[in-house]
Amino acid sequence: MPPKSCLSAACSKSSLAPSIPSSNFCCFILPLSSFVRMLHEPRQGLVKEVAFEAGLRSNALLVLLCLDMEYTGLHSAFPEGKQLSLFDSPAERYLKARRSVQQFTVCQLGLSIFSSEKSNKYVAHSYNFFLFPTMFGTLDSEFSFQASSIQFLTHYGFDYNKFLKDGIPYVNEVQEKKLQQELFAGNWKVHSTLDKDRLKVVIDEVTRWVSSAEEGESMVVSDLTGFQIFEVQLILRRALPDIWTKPSGDNEVIVEKMNPRHRWHLENTSCDFCRKELILLSARGFTSLFQTLVKAKKPLVGHNMLMDLLHLHDKFYRPLPESYEEFKTNIHSLFPVIIDTKNVTKTIWKELKFPRACNLLETYEILCSDTKKNGPSFSQYLNVLAKYLNQVNLIRAAVSKINFSGADVPSRHLPLLIASVRGWPGVNEEQIYQELKGLCRFDVRQLTKNQFLLLSNNFKNVRVVLEDYKDYPNLRISFYHYWRHSPQVNCLLQFWGFYQRICDFFMRKPESLMIIHSDLPSAVYLQLTNVLPIK
């Protein structure tokens, strides 16, 4: 696997990144019109899909896939005390991220397919997809926009018209199953107000026309968008038994006056482009391509790609499960080999003196610079990359990365501090955070009623807060020691002291034990009978 080429080419795959020339990188945008036509020419779309899938699975030169996604929002507004924290376990962070993914949607997906042509030379074919959730029947997704994300996309020239008007539809397995049941049961309904108004106008026009039309005559219904192409045909066919419909062009449907017997014949042949299985294919849209990528079983490369994986699972596979472990299992099954370039570059500098990079563009520039004289050899990149497989970067949490093929390893943080409070009734985590915020930033987690754990990723913060609050009367901060501060240890020590006092008492008066043993917890009584000379 070619890490240097993969990393450098992966950096330039995003359509939102500045244009970066590269001798081994060719980029072309897949025409959106070809995917729009899939709505009206399902058979042609199916042939393209099968051909693309066959190419992915049979191409022995295919090396890997690189992916990047843009969303309508990144992190939802967390309730008080539920923000991202250094204390977050992987399962806790997953549940927070899951909430955000359920609130926002994918608006653009960039895909690069890498193949090997010659020794140490790789060619990338890049595609850019605008996506929009399928709206058909009762399927009508809800999602939010986050101001900061919209500002970011706008800054890089994101085309909102293509997203909203020409976005390729998609569904996950649950949505597809629901749509399939409605279609084949014949009880689907149009829920969009815009579609209802347009369909009412069309039905009135066709009904007036058909009453005076001769068999063989036809009319054209224009200005249809998206799945209106199918909805118009299904509704007209249900209402009028003596017509036939077929799509024409990008936004039109031809309505023909026809003998019912001839119509029945057409409905039961492949000439019918309004068959339910073809409607399902169009509703599936980009999901068909996603399933093709899954079947290819090629390594998937991304940068800081946890949110990408969450959205892939939720939007194109299945709604995200509540179980963190189930999510990990599902992702590893879909993509057995994952490479997160953020995770690689974040730690590789320690081993190979790789310059530190804050973002993807800086990583690309470093890899494209003249590193042959002083940098590591190509074989060294290969060896280093192997141990990073299936490990995805995690920001500000109890672990620094998620391991999709094994157990997560806890991170090494700076020393843990403990804040002890006096004379501050009802104090909570947010109040402690606000108290320290003016001086330095710490993540806070409540330990007991009057004790709070503090964690920072900046050693200067630790030094400052220890100095300022070491003698503060109502809030004292010191290093946390497990054997001194742990509630579990304190509880055990208190019980042990109580236990010792009981033992001392009955050692002096052993005859009393048989009288009151019924009032003691059974576990305590058994322990006492093991150490006391009961007769």
Side-chain angles (χ1 to χ4, degrees):
M1 193 175 300
K4 184 174 182 181
S5 298
C6 295
L7 290 176
S8 59
C11 296
S12 58
K13 64 184 168 49
S14 173
S15 63
L16 299 181
S19 177
I20 305 172
S22 176
S23 58
N24 66 341
F25 180 81
C26 61
C27 174
F28 56 91
I29 304 301
L30 188 70
L32 290 170
S33 58
S34 65
F35 273 86
V36 174
R37 278 197 296 272
M38 283 183 64
L39 299 176
H40 319 308
E41 303 174 22
R43 177 188 292 179
Q44 182 181 358
L46 180 61
V47 171
K48 290 180 179 178
E49 175 202 342
V50 172
F52 186 54
E53 177 178 350
L56 277 178
R57 299 181 68 180
S58 63
N59 188 354
L61 300 178
L62 182 62
V63 177
L64 53 83
L65 308 166
C66 284
L67 176 141
D68 186 31
M69 300 166 71
E70 305 298 341
Y71 330 111
T72 58
L74 189 58
H75 294 298
S76 60
F78 296 103
E80 185 176 296
K82 298 298 182 182
Q83 292 83 2
L84 303 184
S85 169
L86 290 169
F87 289 103
D88 288 345
S89 68
E92 289 173 325
R93 179 58 59 82
Y94 167 73
L95 291 177
K96 292 178 180 180
R98 176 176 179 261
R99 181 176 180 269
S100 295
V101 169
Q102 292 171 333
Q103 186 169 339
F104 303 116
T105 195
V106 179
C107 53
Q108 190 180 57
L109 186 147
L111 177 67
S112 290
I113 301 175
F114 289 80
S115 58
S116 174
E117 289 194 345
K118 297 179 181 180
S119 177
N120 202 27
K121 183 178 180 181
Y122 303 87
V123 175
H125 297 282
S126 292
Y127 304 82
N128 195 20
F129 305 95
F130 286 85
L131 304 176
F132 194 83
T134 293
M135 292 192 305
F136 184 76
T138 59
L139 291 186
D140 190 8
S141 301
E142 297 181 4
F143 57 86
S144 302
F145 285 86
Q146 192 171 32
S148 58
S149 294
I150 299 305
Q151 183 185 50
F152 171 82
L153 293 173
T154 302
H155 177 74
Y156 285 103
F158 183 78
D159 191 334
Y160 289 96
N161 282 329
K162 286 188 176 180
F163 161 54
L164 297 171
K165 294 176 61 178
D166 298 333
I168 303 166
Y170 60 85
V171 291
N172 59 35
E173 290 182 0
V174 173
Q175 294 169 326
E176 182 179 350
K177 183 177 181 181
K178 179 182 179 182
L179 178 58
Q180 184 178 25
Q181 291 173 341
E182 292 177 351
L183 271 176
F184 284 87
N187 59 358
W188 61 275
K189 298 179 181 179
V190 178
H191 278 234
S192 167
T193 302
L194 180 64
D195 289 345
K196 285 181 179 179
D197 293 342
R198 179 65 183 128
L199 292 174
K200 185 178 184 302
V201 172
V202 169
I203 292 171
D204 290 342
E205 290 177 354
V206 174
T207 302
R208 288 194 299 269
W209 168 81
V210 78
S211 62
S212 58
E214 298 290 335
E215 187 172 320
E217 292 183 348
S218 62
M219 67 169 290
V220 176
V221 178
S222 305
D223 300 325
L224 300 175
T225 61
F227 282 91
Q228 288 179 354
I229 293 287
F230 291 121
E231 291 172 332
V232 162
Q233 296 182 78
L234 291 173
I235 290 176
L236 290 176
R237 290 184 186 186
R238 180 186 295 177
L240 304 171
D242 56 345
I243 65 164
W244 179 246
T245 64
K246 58 184 178 181
S248 173
D250 288 343
N251 304 301
E252 297 178 345
V253 165
I254 296 177
V255 182
E256 182 181 351
K257 184 73 174 285
M258 181 174 290
N259 181 285
R261 177 173 293 184
H262 188 195
R263 166 178 159 169
W264 178 88
H265 174 74
L266 291 176
E267 284 179 331
N268 290 275
T269 66
S270 59
C271 296
D272 186 4
F273 292 110
C274 202
R275 299 199 309 276
K276 293 173 181 176
E277 58 269 24
L278 296 182
I279 295 176
L280 282 174
L281 174 63
S282 295
R284 192 180 297 125
F286 186 83
T287 304
S288 296
L289 177 56
F290 168 78
Q291 293 168 349
T292 300
L293 300 177
V294 169
K295 292 176 183 177
K297 298 301 179 187
K298 298 297 180 179
L300 181 67
V301 178
H303 187 81
N304 210 15
M305 62 190 302
L306 177 59
M307 296 304 290
D308 294 336
L309 295 174
L310 286 161
H311 276 283
L312 286 175
H313 190 298
D314 188 70
K315 303 304 187 293
F316 312 121
Y317 179 51
R318 297 172 186 169
L320 287 169
E322 293 185 5
S323 167
Y324 166 66
E325 293 299 331
E326 183 179 348
F327 164 70
K328 285 179 59 175
T329 300
N330 291 347
I331 289 295
H332 190 53
S333 175
L334 294 171
F335 302 104
V337 179
I338 295 173
I339 304 171
D340 184 355
T341 56
K342 175 67 174 181
N343 178 58
V344 176
T345 57
K346 189 173 69 172
T347 52
I348 197 174
W349 67 272
K350 299 177 182 178
E351 185 171 346
L352 297 179
K353 297 181 179 179
F354 188 89
R356 293 199 184 206
C358 296
N359 53 51
L360 195 58
L361 180 58
E362 288 185 9
T363 303
Y364 176 83
E365 291 173 345
I366 292 169
L367 289 168
C368 289
S369 63
D370 187 7
T371 60
K372 295 180 180 179
K373 295 179 180 179
N374 302 318
S377 65
F378 190 78
S379 60
Q380 284 180 297
Y381 275 112
L382 285 175
N383 295 333
V384 170
L385 187 62
K387 62 185 178 184
Y388 294 102
L389 298 182
N390 299 321
Q391 297 177 14
V392 173
N393 183 60
L394 190 59
I395 301 173
R396 290 185 60 82
V399 302
S400 61
K401 53 194 173 186
I402 290 177
N403 185 0
F404 282 93
S405 56
D408 299 321
V409 179
S411 298
R412 292 183 178 180
H413 288 296
L414 292 177
L416 192 61
L417 306 182
I418 185 168
S420 302
V421 181
R422 293 180 182 178
W424 195 350
V427 62
N428 57 36
E429 294 176 359
E430 182 63 22
Q431 289 173 313
I432 297 294
Y433 175 83
Q434 293 299 330
E435 167 69 22
L436 301 176
K437 185 179 179 181
L439 184 64
C440 50
R441 180 180 176 183
F442 276 87
D443 289 345
V444 183
R445 179 156 294 187
Q446 191 159 8
L447 182 65
T448 65
K449 182 179 179 181
N450 296 312
Q451 290 182 315
F452 296 83
L453 297 176
L454 308 177
L455 196 56
S456 174
N457 56 6
N458 187 320
F459 188 78
K460 180 180 178 181
N461 290 346
V462 174
R463 186 173 64 250
V464 168
V465 80
L466 283 174
E467 181 65 27
D468 280 31
Y469 284 90
K470 63 180 180 180
D471 297 320
Y472 199 79
N474 296 328
L475 180 62
R476 293 192 176 184
I477 298 177
S478 59
F479 286 111
Y480 172 83
H481 298 285
Y482 177 79
W483 293 106
R484 183 188 305 171
H485 299 116
S486 169
Q488 292 81 4
V489 172
N490 288 331
C491 181
L492 179 62
L493 292 175
Q494 290 175 9
F495 175 79
W496 181 254
F498 171 71
Y499 171 75
Q500 287 294 104
R501 288 194 295 273
I502 292 179
C503 289
D504 291 343
F505 174 78
F506 287 111
M507 285 295 287
R508 295 193 299 270
K509 297 182 179 181
E511 65 280 1
S512 302
L513 182 61
M514 297 304 295
I515 299 174
I516 67 168
H517 77 272
S518 60
D519 296 327
L520 292 173
S522 58
V524 175
Y525 174 72
L526 290 174
Q527 289 293 326
L528 291 174
T529 55
N530 287 332
V531 299
L532 298 178
I534 304 298
K535 295 182 180 180

